Amino acid sequence: MMDPTQLTIAEASRAIREGTLSPVALTEAYLDRIAALDGELHSYVLVLRDQALKAAQMPARGPLHGIPIGLKDIYKTSGIRTTAGSRRYLDHVPNEDAETWVRLRNAGAVLLGKQETHEFAIGGPDFTLPFEPARNPWNTAHYPAGSSSGSAAAVAAGLCAGAMGSDTGGSIRGPAAYCGIVGLKPTYGRVSRRGVFPLSYTLDHCGPLTRTVEDCAIMMQALAGYDPLDPASADMPVPDYRAALTSRLDGLRIGVVRHFHERDAVAQFGADSAPSPVYAAAFDAACRALESLGARLVDVQLSPLVDYLDANRLIMLAEAYALHEKDFRERPQDFGHHMFARIALGAFLSAADYVEAMRQRRELAVEFARAIDGLDAVVSANSTGPAPRIDAIPTYSTFERASYTGPYNLTGSPALSVPIGFEDGLPLAFQIVGSPFDEAGVMRVGHAFEHATDFHRQRPPIAASLP
Amino acid sequence: MVEEPISSERFAVLVEQAGLTLTPEQFDELREGYRFVARMQKSVRRPRDRAAEPAHIFVHPRVEG
């Protein structure tokens, strides 16, 4: 019989419904892979073998029945240790579940374990933490990006069928890009943040990491929707995401944000932020693929990239520092090097700085809303080169380099990362960005793109079936 | 985009005001990182109409059930 861990969520669900695959067999197969391979990848900080096998025996509950997933270890799980990747919470066992995990479990998902994260979703990769940083499945000497590092690495390596990450400046889409999988940051307010350790209240988003856009749509169907106990949650109707997927894009108008990576990156952040020639060519080829699917492309001009990033990063620093100030003052030794060095910078911001950044945020959100008005989506670069070595990430990488994901945290837009090629055997990706609450639209574009290309079908060697 | 580092004396004042206790290594590293804060502060302070509101405004909470 075929190795069931090679199946997508859509394929495994079909096999389970048709009775040709049992949730127990599927869960056992994933647990075997974790046991065999995760010593090299470090994508899990806790594996729940007994609980997972017990959950796999439950009667059918919903569209994710029997699908084994992982949760970034900032998602609270009742009765199960949730560390946020920090010594501060090393023995923390919550008595509540993240709302997102409740929804996935109610849809039938099986929890394989908790996955490695940068400390409090910002401090990594940090070799001073209790947990070894996750490695890139395409080359374990390289960085899988963060902060949803373990989740992305596990999905790419076939150590779970899907996973949950969080994204404050790109922590779902960056790891998705470097690991060659799909990652969606939904619209701010679309997916509940309740029960997830916050990094930055107004910028945090929760979303899925999967191997295909169709799988992303299946997970989003379970995740999306109003949560009255999350103050940011939006009471908006949830469409049928899978039904929105098509193989053609005839009649669609798609904007292309070129100046962020073609001009602004080097002009505003220096030569180290220059896109690689291979990336530039892959981005252009991806745009041509969208045209070949029937879309009409138009250039989009926004404010300089640095305007978006400085506002995004200042707001994140201010909100994160406020969250950790007491501990930073009273028990700084509890934090890893990167977490402390990065977030302590928030101590030097003023209230006026924060308000000014929030005023800039509104201006830029309005600008982006006007730019995308009349368009069906916008494409924008993601990380503009292959994953660097994991031992070559500077402490202040978060602030000194160009990033193409942060602007869409600032605007709260839905943004999907999709693979567009490879460089030196490592994946490359771009983003498809939509109007607020149009996750269906960005997934439609992403699915059609997948249909026309085969990048998402390429898997790292470590993802091959066990002998 | 390279800014000049803040002087040690000036940065020591900021650290004291913040109530942080830093090792010498942390002091040096944060002083080095402060240039990013300075850049962000400069970047978001620009002429704006007084009516330009921040992105977050007060919203009355909903009490369910």
Side-chain angles (χ1 to χ4, degrees):
Chain A
M1 182 192 166
M2 183 196 176
D3 173 6
T5 66
Q6 299 295 317
L7 301 174
T8 64
I9 292 175
E11 292 164 343
S13 289
R14 193 178 312 121
I16 289 171
R17 273 197 312 277
E18 292 171 354
T20 58
L21 175 65
S22 81
V24 171
L26 182 60
T27 302
E28 279 179 334
Y30 275 112
L31 289 167
D32 289 348
R33 287 185 63 80
I34 294 168
L37 302 171
D38 206 43
E40 189 180 357
L41 272 185
H42 308 290
S43 65
Y44 282 84
V45 296
L46 183 66
V47 178
L48 302 164
R49 184 174 188 91
D50 293 343
Q51 293 101 313
L53 288 171
K54 190 174 170 192
Q57 295 170 42
M58 297 278 282
R61 279 174 292 174
L64 288 171
H65 174 54
I67 299 299
I69 64 155
L71 296 174
K72 181 176 183 175
D73 200 28
I74 61 169
Y75 282 72
K76 290 186 183 174
T77 40
S78 181
I80 298 168
R81 190 186 69 178
T82 304
T83 68
S86 181
R87 272 187 292 276
R88 178 74 179 83
Y89 284 92
L90 205 51
D91 302 313
H92 175 60
V93 179
N95 57 12
E96 62 170 337
D97 286 313
E99 171 64 13
T100 36
W101 165 230
V102 172
R103 291 182 186 214
L104 291 167
R105 187 178 58 207
N106 289 345
V110 171
L111 182 60
L112 291 169
K114 307 297 290 292
Q115 292 166 331
E116 191 272 343
T117 170
H118 289 182
E119 186 174 19
F120 290 107
I122 184 73
D126 190 337
F127 291 88
T128 71
L129 294 176
F131 305 108
E132 180 95 0
R135 302 288 179 141
N136 192 312
W138 291 87
N139 182 335
T140 54
H142 286 247
Y143 182 43
S147 61
S148 308
S149 10
S151 301
V155 171
L159 303 190
C160 61
M164 289 300 292
S166 68
D167 192 316
T168 305
S171 286
I172 289 173
R173 291 160 290 157
Y178 278 172
C179 293
I181 59 171
V182 170
L184 175 66
K185 181 195 79 64
T187 310
Y188 188 77
R190 176 57 103 185
V191 171
S192 174
R193 305 159 306 145
R194 180 161 58 95
V196 178
F197 271 96
L199 170 60
S200 171
Y201 296 112
T202 70
L203 295 167
D204 289 346
H205 299 66
C206 295
L209 290 142
T210 55
R211 291 180 213 159
T212 67
V213 175
E214 183 181 25
D215 284 0
C216 181
I218 293 169
M219 284 189 71
M220 275 299 291
Q221 206 67 55
L223 292 163
Y226 182 51
D227 174 7
L229 298 180
D230 174 351
S233 185
D235 194 358
M236 298 283 288
V238 177
D240 183 338
Y241 291 122
R242 219 167 160 192
L245 305 180
T246 61
S247 57
R248 292 284 305 173
L249 299 174
D250 297 300
L252 266 61
R253 293 182 75 230
I254 297 178
V256 183
V257 183
R258 289 188 177 279
H259 66 92
F260 277 0
H261 68 282
E262 290 186 351
R263 295 196 305 273
D264 299 354
V266 172
Q268 295 155 12
F269 292 91
D272 285 352
S273 287
S276 74
V278 174
Y279 182 84
F283 184 89
D284 288 343
C287 290
R288 286 195 299 276
L290 295 175
E291 284 182 312
S292 74
L293 290 163
R296 192 155 70 85
L297 303 189
V298 293
D299 266 4
V300 167
Q301 182 74 36
L302 301 170
S303 289
L305 177 63
V306 71
D307 289 3
Y308 282 85
L309 292 182
D310 280 342
N312 176 264
R313 290 163 173 174
L314 193 157
I315 293 164
M316 182 277 290
L317 268 183
E319 295 183 358
Y321 183 74
L323 266 162
H324 296 288
E325 182 184 59
K326 185 171 185 293
D327 286 341
F328 272 22
R329 286 178 174 168
E330 296 177 0
R331 45 202 303 172
Q333 70 282 359
D334 282 3
F335 294 94
H337 170 267
H338 283 37
M339 167 74 188
F340 189 85
R342 290 172 184 169
I343 299 304
L345 291 177
F348 311 120
L349 295 168
S350 71
D353 292 331
Y354 180 66
V355 172
E356 285 301 299
M358 277 296 196
R359 294 174 86 198
Q360 187 151 310
R361 181 181 190 178
R362 180 176 292 282
E363 290 167 356
L364 294 172
V366 168
E367 171 185 81
F368 187 72
R370 287 183 176 138
I372 202 170
D373 186 36
L375 300 175
D376 295 286
V378 160
V379 294
S380 188
N382 198 333
S383 305
T384 53
R389 288 182 59 89
I390 197 167
D391 55 6
I393 311 298
T395 301
Y396 290 121
S397 59
T398 314
F399 305 124
E400 65 191 351
R401 300 267 169 88
S403 156
Y404 305 94
T405 45
Y408 308 111
N409 294 80
L410 201 70
T411 62
S413 317
L416 180 77
S417 180
V418 178
I420 60 168
F422 290 87
E423 179 172 356
D424 297 334
L426 293 160
L428 304 171
F430 74 165
Q431 297 177 86
I432 302 160
V433 186
S435 296
F437 302 100
D438 190 23
E439 287 79 11
V442 298
M443 287 193 279
R444 179 188 174 191
V445 175
H447 179 74
F449 180 80
E450 278 185 349
H451 212 74
T453 59
D454 72 345
F455 304 119
H456 69 289
R457 290 194 190 89
Q458 299 185 39
R459 308 279 307 277
I462 200 172
S465 297
L466 293 176
Chain B
M1 186 178 286
V2 180
E3 286 82 13
E4 287 297 308
I6 185 173
S7 72
S8 291
E9 294 75 17
R10 172 76 184 127
F11 190 61
V13 172
L14 294 182
V15 170
E16 187 180 359
Q17 284 174 341
L20 294 174
T21 306
L22 302 179
T23 64
E25 293 76 19
Q26 287 173 325
F27 183 92
D28 289 344
E29 187 162 45
L30 287 175
R31 181 174 158 248
E32 164 69 16
Y34 182 80
R35 64 197 166 101
F36 300 114
V37 172
R39 185 190 73 202
M40 293 174 207
Q41 289 170 319
K42 193 172 161 190
S43 173
V44 300
R45 287 174 184 274
R46 54 184 65 182
R48 289 190 172 90
D49 190 296
R50 285 182 186 275
E53 299 235 4
H56 65 333
I57 42 96
F58 178 75
V59 177
H60 292 284
R62 291 171 61 151
V63 178
E64 300 292 318

